[in-house]
PDB file of all heavy atoms in Angstrom:
ATOM      1  N   LEU V 121     -53.600 -24.545  12.515  1.00 95.00           N
ATOM      2  CA  LEU V 121     -52.217 -24.833  12.900  1.00 95.00           C
ATOM      3  C   LEU V 121     -51.234 -24.244  11.890  1.00 95.00           C
ATOM      4  O   LEU V 121     -50.181 -23.712  12.263  1.00 95.00           O
ATOM      5  CB  LEU V 121     -52.004 -26.343  13.011  1.00 95.00           C
ATOM      6  CG  LEU V 121     -52.626 -27.037  14.231  1.00 95.00           C
ATOM      7  CD1 LEU V 121     -52.475 -28.547  14.125  1.00 95.00           C
ATOM      8  CD2 LEU V 121     -51.976 -26.538  15.525  1.00 95.00           C
ATOM      9  N   GLU V 122     -51.576 -24.338  10.629  1.00 94.00           N
ATOM     10  CA  GLU V 122     -50.702 -23.791   9.585  1.00 94.00           C
ATOM     11  C   GLU V 122     -50.504 -22.286   9.762  1.00 94.00           C
ATOM     12  O   GLU V 122     -49.418 -21.747   9.511  1.00 94.00           O
ATOM     13  CB  GLU V 122     -51.286 -24.086   8.203  1.00 94.00           C
ATOM     14  CG  GLU V 122     -51.189 -25.553   7.802  1.00 94.00           C
ATOM     15  CD  GLU V 122     -51.941 -25.840   6.513  1.00 94.00           C
ATOM     16  OE1 GLU V 122     -52.342 -24.878   5.824  1.00 94.00           O
ATOM     17  OE2 GLU V 122     -52.133 -27.022   6.185  1.00 94.00           O
ATOM     18  N   LYS V 123     -51.564 -21.617  10.203  1.00 94.00           N
ATOM     19  CA  LYS V 123     -51.492 -20.166  10.413  1.00 94.00           C
ATOM     20  C   LYS V 123     -50.727 -19.826  11.695  1.00 94.00           C
ATOM     21  O   LYS V 123     -49.981 -18.856  11.749  1.00 94.00           O
ATOM     22  CB  LYS V 123     -52.902 -19.578  10.485  1.00 94.00           C
ATOM     23  CG  LYS V 123     -53.664 -19.632   9.169  1.00 94.00           C
ATOM     24  CD  LYS V 123     -55.093 -19.133   9.353  1.00 94.00           C
ATOM     25  CE  LYS V 123     -55.898 -19.258   8.068  1.00 94.00           C
ATOM     26  NZ  LYS V 123     -57.323 -18.866   8.265  1.00 94.00           N
ATOM     27  N   GLU V 124     -50.916 -20.646  12.730  1.00 94.00           N
ATOM     28  CA  GLU V 124     -50.353 -20.340  14.034  1.00 94.00           C
ATOM     29  C   GLU V 124     -48.874 -20.703  14.163  1.00 94.00           C
ATOM     30  O   GLU V 124     -48.113 -20.022  14.861  1.00 94.00           O
ATOM     31  CB  GLU V 124     -51.134 -21.097  15.123  1.00 94.00           C
ATOM     32  CG  GLU V 124     -52.582 -20.645  15.280  1.00 94.00           C
ATOM     33  CD  GLU V 124     -53.368 -21.596  16.173  1.00 94.00           C
ATOM     34  OE1 GLU V 124     -52.748 -22.558  16.711  1.00 94.00           O
ATOM     35  OE2 GLU V 124     -54.597 -21.400  16.310  1.00 94.00           O
ATOM     36  N   LEU V 125     -48.450 -21.775  13.506  1.00 94.00           N
ATOM     37  CA  LEU V 125     -47.100 -22.294  13.705  1.00 94.00           C
ATOM     38  C   LEU V 125     -46.114 -21.683  12.718  1.00 94.00           C
ATOM     39  O   LEU V 125     -46.438 -21.451  11.551  1.00 94.00           O
ATOM     40  CB  LEU V 125     -47.093 -23.823  13.572  1.00 94.00           C
ATOM     41  CG  LEU V 125     -47.985 -24.567  14.586  1.00 94.00           C
ATOM     42  CD1 LEU V 125     -47.973 -26.058  14.326  1.00 94.00           C
ATOM     43  CD2 LEU V 125     -47.530 -24.273  16.018  1.00 94.00           C
ATOM     44  N   GLN V 126     -44.920 -21.454  13.188  1.00 91.00           N
ATOM     45  CA  GLN V 126     -43.903 -20.752  12.403  1.00 91.00           C
ATOM     46  C   GLN V 126     -43.605 -21.446  11.074  1.00 91.00           C
ATOM     47  O   GLN V 126     -43.427 -20.807  10.047  1.00 91.00           O
ATOM     48  CB  GLN V 126     -42.618 -20.626  13.213  1.00 91.00           C
ATOM     49  CG  GLN V 126     -41.546 -19.784  12.551  1.00 91.00           C
ATOM     50  CD  GLN V 126     -40.326 -19.613  13.441  1.00 91.00           C
ATOM     51  OE1 GLN V 126     -40.242 -20.201  14.503  1.00 91.00           O
ATOM     52  NE2 GLN V 126     -39.380 -18.796  13.003  1.00 91.00           N
ATOM     53  N   GLY V 127     -43.553 -22.772  11.093  1.00 88.00           N
ATOM     54  CA  GLY V 127     -43.224 -23.502   9.872  1.00 88.00           C
ATOM     55  C   GLY V 127     -44.391 -23.768   8.964  1.00 88.00           C
ATOM     56  O   GLY V 127     -44.235 -24.426   7.928  1.00 88.00           O
ATOM     57  N   GLY V 128     -45.577 -23.296   9.352  1.00 90.00           N
ATOM     58  CA  GLY V 128     -46.758 -23.533   8.525  1.00 90.00           C
ATOM     59  C   GLY V 128     -47.027 -25.021   8.369  1.00 90.00           C
ATOM     60  O   GLY V 128     -46.890 -25.801   9.314  1.00 90.00           O
ATOM     61  N   ARG V 129     -47.404 -25.412   7.170  1.00 89.00           N
ATOM     62  CA  ARG V 129     -47.777 -26.796   6.901  1.00 89.00           C
ATOM     63  C   ARG V 129     -46.646 -27.787   7.164  1.00 89.00           C
ATOM     64  O   ARG V 129     -46.864 -28.942   7.479  1.00 89.00           O
ATOM     65  CB  ARG V 129     -48.245 -26.882   5.447  1.00 89.00           C
ATOM     66  CG  ARG V 129     -48.820 -28.208   5.044  1.00 89.00           C
ATOM     67  CD  ARG V 129     -49.446 -28.114   3.656  1.00 89.00           C
ATOM     68  NE  ARG V 129     -49.573 -29.422   3.080  1.00 89.00           N
ATOM     69  CZ  ARG V 129     -48.605 -30.036   2.392  1.00 89.00           C
ATOM     70  NH1 ARG V 129     -47.456 -29.429   2.203  1.00 89.00           N
ATOM     71  NH2 ARG V 129     -48.785 -31.244   1.902  1.00 89.00           N
ATOM     72  N   THR V 130     -45.414 -27.326   7.048  1.00 91.00           N
ATOM     73  CA  THR V 130     -44.264 -28.219   7.210  1.00 91.00           C
ATOM     74  C   THR V 130     -43.608 -28.091   8.591  1.00 91.00           C
ATOM     75  O   THR V 130     -42.474 -28.524   8.781  1.00 91.00           O
ATOM     76  CB  THR V 130     -43.206 -27.931   6.125  1.00 91.00           C
ATOM     77  OG1 THR V 130     -42.752 -26.567   6.265  1.00 91.00           O
ATOM     78  CG2 THR V 130     -43.784 -28.128   4.735  1.00 91.00           C
ATOM     79  N   HIS V 131     -44.324 -27.537   9.547  1.00 94.00           N
ATOM     80  CA  HIS V 131     -43.753 -27.239  10.865  1.00 94.00           C
ATOM     81  C   HIS V 131     -43.128 -28.471  11.527  1.00 94.00           C
ATOM     82  O   HIS V 131     -42.079 -28.362  12.181  1.00 94.00           O
ATOM     83  CB  HIS V 131     -44.834 -26.655  11.782  1.00 94.00           C
ATOM     84  CG  HIS V 131     -44.327 -26.249  13.135  1.00 94.00           C
ATOM     85  ND1 HIS V 131     -43.729 -25.037  13.380  1.00 94.00           N
ATOM     86  CD2 HIS V 131     -44.317 -26.921  14.321  1.00 94.00           C
ATOM     87  CE1 HIS V 131     -43.381 -24.960  14.645  1.00 94.00           C
ATOM     88  NE2 HIS V 131     -43.722 -26.091  15.240  1.00 94.00           N
ATOM     89  N   PHE V 132     -43.756 -29.649  11.382  1.00 94.00           N
ATOM     90  CA  PHE V 132     -43.290 -30.845  12.081  1.00 94.00           C
ATOM     91  C   PHE V 132     -42.456 -31.777  11.200  1.00 94.00           C
ATOM     92  O   PHE V 132     -42.037 -32.841  11.660  1.00 94.00           O
ATOM     93  CB  PHE V 132     -44.488 -31.622  12.646  1.00 94.00           C
ATOM     94  CG  PHE V 132     -45.322 -30.844  13.629  1.00 94.00           C
ATOM     95  CD1 PHE V 132     -46.591 -30.406  13.275  1.00 94.00           C
ATOM     96  CD2 PHE V 132     -44.836 -30.538  14.883  1.00 94.00           C
ATOM     97  CE1 PHE V 132     -47.374 -29.682  14.169  1.00 94.00           C
ATOM     98  CE2 PHE V 132     -45.604 -29.819  15.796  1.00 94.00           C
ATOM     99  CZ  PHE V 132     -46.875 -29.383  15.439  1.00 94.00           C
ATOM    100  N   VAL V 133     -42.226 -31.392   9.950  1.00 92.00           N
ATOM    101  CA  VAL V 133     -41.553 -32.288   9.010  1.00 92.00           C
ATOM    102  C   VAL V 133     -40.165 -32.689   9.493  1.00 92.00           C
ATOM    103  O   VAL V 133     -39.748 -33.848   9.332  1.00 92.00           O
ATOM    104  CB  VAL V 133     -41.477 -31.642   7.602  1.00 92.00           C
ATOM    105  CG1 VAL V 133     -40.477 -32.378   6.721  1.00 92.00           C
ATOM    106  CG2 VAL V 133     -42.853 -31.646   6.952  1.00 92.00           C
ATOM    107  N   GLU V 134     -39.438 -31.780  10.098  1.00 92.00           N
ATOM    108  CA  GLU V 134     -38.070 -32.070  10.535  1.00 92.00           C
ATOM    109  C   GLU V 134     -38.032 -33.216  11.542  1.00 92.00           C
ATOM    110  O   GLU V 134     -37.111 -34.043  11.531  1.00 92.00           O
ATOM    111  CB  GLU V 134     -37.438 -30.819  11.150  1.00 92.00           C
ATOM    112  CG  GLU V 134     -35.935 -30.905  11.354  1.00 92.00           C
ATOM    113  CD  GLU V 134     -35.165 -31.072  10.049  1.00 92.00           C
ATOM    114  OE1 GLU V 134     -35.572 -30.491   9.022  1.00 92.00           O
ATOM    115  OE2 GLU V 134     -34.155 -31.810  10.071  1.00 92.00           O
ATOM    116  N   SER V 135     -39.032 -33.301  12.408  1.00 93.00           N
ATOM    117  CA  SER V 135     -39.027 -34.354  13.431  1.00 93.00           C
ATOM    118  C   SER V 135     -39.698 -35.636  12.946  1.00 93.00           C
ATOM    119  O   SER V 135     -39.178 -36.734  13.170  1.00 93.00           O
ATOM    120  CB  SER V 135     -39.710 -33.871  14.706  1.00 93.00           C
ATOM    121  OG  SER V 135     -41.081 -33.604  14.471  1.00 93.00           O
ATOM    122  N   CYS V 136     -40.841 -35.506  12.268  1.00 94.00           N
ATOM    123  CA  CYS V 136     -41.629 -36.708  11.959  1.00 94.00           C
ATOM    124  C   CYS V 136     -41.695 -37.055  10.478  1.00 94.00           C
ATOM    125  O   CYS V 136     -42.187 -38.128  10.112  1.00 94.00           O
ATOM    126  CB  CYS V 136     -43.050 -36.576  12.513  1.00 94.00           C
ATOM    127  SG  CYS V 136     -44.055 -35.323  11.672  1.00 94.00           S
ATOM    128  N   GLY V 137     -41.246 -36.142   9.602  1.00 92.00           N
ATOM    129  CA  GLY V 137     -41.266 -36.409   8.166  1.00 92.00           C
ATOM    130  C   GLY V 137     -42.600 -36.189   7.501  1.00 92.00           C
ATOM    131  O   GLY V 137     -42.752 -36.475   6.309  1.00 92.00           O
ATOM    132  N   LEU V 138     -43.577 -35.662   8.254  1.00 92.00           N
ATOM    133  CA  LEU V 138     -44.940 -35.548   7.744  1.00 92.00           C
ATOM    134  C   LEU V 138     -45.431 -34.098   7.776  1.00 92.00           C
ATOM    135  O   LEU V 138     -45.140 -33.364   8.729  1.00 92.00           O
ATOM    136  CB  LEU V 138     -45.897 -36.400   8.580  1.00 92.00           C
ATOM    137  CG  LEU V 138     -45.485 -37.862   8.816  1.00 92.00           C
ATOM    138  CD1 LEU V 138     -46.473 -38.530   9.761  1.00 92.00           C
ATOM    139  CD2 LEU V 138     -45.389 -38.620   7.504  1.00 92.00           C
ATOM    140  N   PRO V 139     -46.206 -33.686   6.778  1.00 90.00           N
ATOM    141  CA  PRO V 139     -46.809 -32.353   6.809  1.00 90.00           C
ATOM    142  C   PRO V 139     -48.061 -32.353   7.678  1.00 90.00           C
ATOM    143  O   PRO V 139     -48.591 -33.421   8.017  1.00 90.00           O
ATOM    144  CB  PRO V 139     -47.186 -32.119   5.337  1.00 90.00           C
ATOM    145  CG  PRO V 139     -47.529 -33.487   4.844  1.00 90.00           C
ATOM    146  CD  PRO V 139     -46.565 -34.422   5.543  1.00 90.00           C
ATOM    147  N   ILE V 140     -48.532 -31.197   8.036  1.00 92.00           N
ATOM    148  CA  ILE V 140     -49.822 -31.099   8.726  1.00 92.00           C
ATOM    149  C   ILE V 140     -50.912 -31.457   7.726  1.00 92.00           C
ATOM    150  O   ILE V 140     -51.039 -30.832   6.678  1.00 92.00           O
ATOM    151  CB  ILE V 140     -50.041 -29.673   9.271  1.00 92.00           C
ATOM    152  CG1 ILE V 140     -49.024 -29.379  10.379  1.00 92.00           C
ATOM    153  CG2 ILE V 140     -51.461 -29.498   9.791  1.00 92.00           C
ATOM    154  CD1 ILE V 140     -49.035 -27.940  10.853  1.00 92.00           C
ATOM    155  N   SER V 141     -51.670 -32.490   8.025  1.00 90.00           N
ATOM    156  CA  SER V 141     -52.688 -32.981   7.095  1.00 90.00           C
ATOM    157  C   SER V 141     -53.780 -33.719   7.857  1.00 90.00           C
ATOM    158  O   SER V 141     -53.534 -34.286   8.927  1.00 90.00           O
ATOM    159  CB  SER V 141     -52.048 -33.926   6.068  1.00 90.00           C
ATOM    160  OG  SER V 141     -53.027 -34.632   5.337  1.00 90.00           O
TER     161      SER V 141
END
Side-chain angles (χ1 to χ4, degrees):
L121 287 173
E122 288 172 12
K123 292 175 183 176
E124 294 169 4
L125 299 177
Q126 186 176 5
R129 187 171 160 274
T130 61
H131 183 84
F132 300 109
V133 165
E134 193 62 36
S135 64
C136 69
L138 309 175
I140 293 172
S141 168

